[in-house]
């Protein structure tokens, strides 16, 4: 498994190409995620080195994302074209993603493999103690929960602003966010700007086996994404028999 920090500098591009050329040459099968920059580069090198490439499509490069800058759209389209056309086989995490992917490659080249979850772990268990952080919610307040990476696509920054309107009508709630990511600082600024410190707590990243108590003691799970394939968070919350509110994507 390799995750290469992307760089558009000449030195960075050469370094990435050299590393991938060596790695792909010494392995039998290449597997790439999404159909963006690194996947496109892997697809070209795999073809040159005569190696089969499996591409798993979960949304990036296929599902329209709000906030994509106009100057980046040609790059997205180019990487999508190269990675999908050169891939030997494409796996999709949902039927909706398959339908979108089929706009660019023959459907016969695509296989549906829906994201799964650990049903043994994510099931109701009333005996689980309340997470210490949840004591920040006043007695009788509704505990809201989101488990997501903090990136623009996942829409948590928008939900912070929406919850400020909810607070003005009914302040008896507390919103807990589990996850880390690029827009952490921006979300903290929004929380301060909207004076939501008493209503929103960012808990940071958690390991998968530590999530069950948070789901168990949440009253409502929120998934405000602007683009989504098969949301594992949604599946886990349903497994915990929790009500879920999602955006329509």
């Amino acid at each position: 498994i390799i995750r290469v920090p992307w760089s558009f500098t000449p030195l960075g591009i050469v370094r990435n190409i050299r590393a991938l050329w060596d790695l792909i040459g010494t392995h039998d099968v290449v597997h790439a995620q999404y159909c963006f920059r690194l996947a496109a580069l892997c697809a070209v090198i795999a073809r040159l080195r005569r190696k089969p490439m499996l591409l798993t499509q979960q949304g990036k490069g296929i599902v329209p994302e709000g906030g994509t800058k106009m100057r980046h759209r040609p790059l997205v389209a180019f990487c999508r074209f190269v990675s999908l056309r050169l891939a030997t086989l494409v796996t999709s995490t949902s039927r909706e993603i398959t339908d979108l992917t089929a706009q660019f490659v023959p459907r016969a080249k695509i296989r549906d493999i829906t994201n799964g979850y650990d049903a043994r772990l994510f099931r109701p268990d009333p005996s689980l103690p309340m997470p210490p952080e949840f004591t920040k919610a006043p007695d009788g307040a509704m505990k809201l929960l989101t488990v997501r990476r903090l990136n623009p696509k996942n829409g948590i920054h928008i939900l912070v602003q929406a919850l400020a309107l909810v607070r003005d009508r009914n302040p008896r709630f507390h919103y807990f966010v589990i996850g880390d990511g690029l827009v952490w600082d921006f979300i903290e600024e929004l929380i301060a700007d909207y004076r939501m410190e008493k209503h929103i707590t960012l808990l940071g990243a958690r390991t998968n086996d530590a999530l069950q108590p948070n789901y168990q003691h949440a009253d409502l799970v929120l998934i405000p994404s602007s683009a989504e394939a098969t949301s594992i968070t949604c599946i886990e919350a349903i497994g915990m028999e929790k009500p879920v509110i999602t955006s329509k994507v």
Side-chain angles (χ1 to χ4, degrees), residues 6-174:
W6 190 264
S7 172
F8 274 118
T9 65
L11 179 60
I13 293 173
V14 170
R15 183 179 61 244
N16 289 345
I17 292 175
R18 181 177 298 172
L20 291 170
W21 182 270
D22 292 341
L23 283 166
I24 290 172
T26 57
H27 290 77
D28 298 317
V29 179
V30 181
H31 177 218
Q33 296 275 359
Y34 308 117
C35 57
F36 201 39
R37 294 174 297 199
L38 188 56
L41 186 56
C42 285
V44 172
I45 296 175
R47 179 61 63 92
L48 291 173
R49 304 218 55 158
R50 299 184 179 181
K51 303 287 184 175
M53 188 182 97
L54 171 66
L55 179 68
T56 296
Q57 181 50 252
Q58 301 186 54
K60 184 75 172 181
I62 291 288
V63 176
E65 294 188 26
T68 301
K69 295 180 180 179
M70 184 66 69
R71 68 177 183 271
H72 291 164
R73 292 179 184 176
L75 175 62
V76 172
F78 175 76
C79 292
R80 177 177 60 220
F81 175 83
V82 171
S83 56
L84 289 174
R85 289 301 179 94
L86 296 184
T88 309
L89 185 71
V90 179
T91 61
S92 166
T93 56
S94 72
R95 292 181 180 178
E96 291 79 11
I97 295 296
T98 295
D99 291 340
L100 290 171
T101 306
Q103 298 176 21
F104 306 100
V105 294
R107 189 174 289 269
K109 190 177 181 178
I110 308 168
R111 302 289 186 273
D112 291 340
I113 304 178
T114 304
N115 286 332
Y117 81 111
D118 189 342
R120 297 167 299 178
L121 180 61
F122 294 101
R123 57 186 177 83
D125 185 355
S127 68
L128 290 171
M130 179 180 293
E133 300 90 347
F134 275 30
T135 58
K136 291 186 177 182
D139 290 342
M142 178 172 283
K143 291 180 282 293
L144 314 177
L145 176 67
T146 292
V147 182
R148 304 292 288 163
R149 286 177 296 172
L150 304 189
N151 62 32
K153 174 189 79 71
N154 288 335
I156 295 171
H157 58 294
I158 297 173
L159 189 54
V160 169
Q161 300 169 70
L163 288 175
L165 299 176
V166 174
R167 173 204 55 195
D168 295 339
R169 297 187 177 187
N170 183 358
R172 296 196 63 78
F173 70 87
H174 199 100

Side-chain angles (χ1 to χ4, degrees), residues 161-235:
Q161 300 169 70
L163 288 175
L165 299 176
V166 174
R167 173 204 55 195
D168 295 339
R169 297 187 177 187
N170 183 358
R172 296 196 63 78
F173 70 87
H174 199 100
Y175 179 43
F176 298 94
V177 181
I178 294 177
D180 199 355
L182 295 173
V183 295
W184 176 287
D185 292 341
F186 177 56
I187 291 173
E188 281 194 321
E189 292 175 5
L190 284 175
I191 291 172
D193 290 345
Y194 284 87
R195 299 179 181 178
M196 293 291 287
E197 295 90 344
K198 294 182 179 180
H199 296 276
I200 300 177
T201 301
L202 302 181
L203 299 177
R206 293 286 190 274
T207 59
N208 200 54
D209 56 1
L211 294 176
Q212 189 187 16
N214 296 277
Y215 281 120
Q216 179 65 44
H217 291 276
D219 297 305
L220 185 63
V221 176
L222 306 176
I223 305 175
S225 301
S226 62
E228 199 64 66
T230 303
S231 171
I232 296 177
T233 296
C234 185
I235 299 172

